Amino acid sequence: MLPWRFAQFVLLTQVASVFSIYILGFIDSSKVHKILRAHMASVAVCFVLMFGNSVLLTSYYTASLVICQGILAIRPIYLRTYKNIFPLWAFEAFSCLLGTIVMKPFLCLILGVTNHVYIINLIKAKLTNYKDFDTLMYTCAVEFDFMEKETPVRYMKTLLLPVVLAVFVAIVVKVFQHILHCRNVAGRQRDLKHGEMAYHAIQLIFFASLAILIMRLKLFLTPHMCIMASLICSKQLFGWIYHKIPRRTFVLAILALMAGEGIRNLQKDWSMVGEFSSLPQEELLLWIKANTKQDAVFGGTMPITSSVKLSTLRPVVNHPHYEDTVIPPKMKILYSMYSRKSAKEVKMKLLKMGINYYILEEAWCPKKPKSGCTMPEIWDVEDKSNAGKVPLCTIMSRDSRPYFQTVFSNSLYKVLEVSRE
């Protein structure tokens, strides 16, 4: 969670997967308690190391940990009182889902934190026509688009998808056999077989859903599919095949069929030789180091200010952790240079933040390939009163006076000194 702000949502799927196999009766409550306590300890450590980021304590992830612990605590009471009224598995599943949804705003209320719903709005934007400034900042990026059509085609060519589907179906069959065998609470057994397989199958569903909605999250789906594919060797799942065909022969045959496309993919990747080079950015960073004071404060977009901080050690005012109560308002002020607001209004806000220099990137002004995703168009959703005016970044690229002074310029960047007058 420390280096990646979206880790909490992925860990939420892990908690959901673990609790699901508990509901199905594959692990006992003592194991779930241990796992949940480990997660809660991690949240506490991250809260401290992230300088008291209270938004982390009011996330759906933390809410799910609290609710799951609560369900485990009241389970004995439910069994004594209501077990004949409502099935235990239905009670636990419904309580976990509804409780997590209700607990998040309750935690926000207790801790006095604004109820940030970026991830919910992001999913809403993916499935409907909903849009606002924050969601457009994400959905306009290619990596946050839906999974491209070529991905499942590549999975098919390497036979990864067919093998995983076969494994998944085999696990589902085992799970249903277990459910039919354990129809009541008394029939549950501890440390049942296939629990780890059921966990990975449920986790695969979550990872696949995330990857379809957000393309970049393939980084979890693809390796997890490889893990699932390895279960083709399992005698527990495919013993009926290995009674007829030697397991070694069957597995080697599948690997041989997968290897053709796999080798071609490797050769394609190995053929890519090059290095990253950005001379305009190097010029910018060298100029900053040579011509500005050590305590000069810089503002700009998240990518360029991170480079300024790392390469020149100059202080910056923004940070890419959007899940913090302080960061989103700052981001809007910094990105208002690409809105249609007046130069005077933007300058006054930058001065209040203590900024000495603003780095203007002209590449953020022209239209991007995706319609409706230029920064001025994104701002039109947030700032309808100024829609139709010339973008401020366009004006600044021509002449930054009188509110700013251009002190550095090359093919990609302009450094605007914020006038104190």
Side-chain angles (χ1 to χ4, degrees), residues 76-221:
I77 301 174
Y78 177 85
L79 290 176
R80 290 195 302 267
T81 311
Y82 303 106
K83 66 178 182 179
N84 296 323
I85 300 176
F86 204 54
L88 179 62
W89 67 268
F91 164 76
E92 290 174 329
F94 180 77
S95 299
C96 182
L97 179 61
L98 182 63
T100 299
I101 295 173
V102 173
M103 178 57 69
K104 175 180 166 58
F106 183 66
L107 289 174
C108 292
L109 182 63
I110 293 176
L111 298 174
V113 178
T114 304
N115 186 12
H116 290 279
V117 289
Y118 295 124
I119 192 65
I120 299 301
N121 287 346
L122 183 58
I123 295 174
K124 191 194 303 185
K126 303 288 287 187
L127 302 177
T128 67
N129 291 327
Y130 175 83
K131 57 184 178 180
D132 59 26
F133 182 88
D134 298 299
T135 58
L136 285 172
M137 287 291 291
Y138 284 120
T139 56
C140 282
V142 176
E143 58 268 25
F144 282 92
D145 207 345
F146 288 101
M147 178 190 288
E148 68 273 26
K149 297 178 182 178
E150 292 77 12
T151 296
V153 173
R154 289 196 291 268
Y155 290 154
M156 287 294 294
K157 287 182 178 180
T158 58
L159 297 185
L160 180 60
L161 183 57
V163 170
V164 169
L165 287 176
V167 170
F168 182 80
V169 170
I171 294 175
V172 170
V173 170
K174 291 290 184 182
V175 169
F176 273 108
Q177 288 175 348
H178 162 73
I179 293 174
L180 292 175
H181 181 68
C182 306
R183 291 182 177 179
N184 53 55
V185 176
R188 283 190 177 185
Q189 303 176 34
R190 293 178 181 270
D191 299 322
L192 290 170
K193 294 180 179 179
H194 315 305
E196 70 283 358
M197 295 183 184
Y199 164 78
H200 282 293
I202 296 170
Q203 186 71 80
L204 181 70
I205 294 173
F206 283 117
F207 282 164
S209 302
L210 290 174
I212 290 171
L213 287 172
I214 302 173
M215 182 268 290
R216 72 180 299 187
L217 295 184
K218 288 189 302 182
L219 67 96
F220 292 107
L221 175 63

Side-chain angles (χ1 to χ4, degrees), residues 55-67:
V55 174
L56 183 62
L57 298 182
T58 59
S59 65
Y60 284 105
Y61 169 51
T62 304
S64 71
L65 295 175
V66 174
I67 289 298

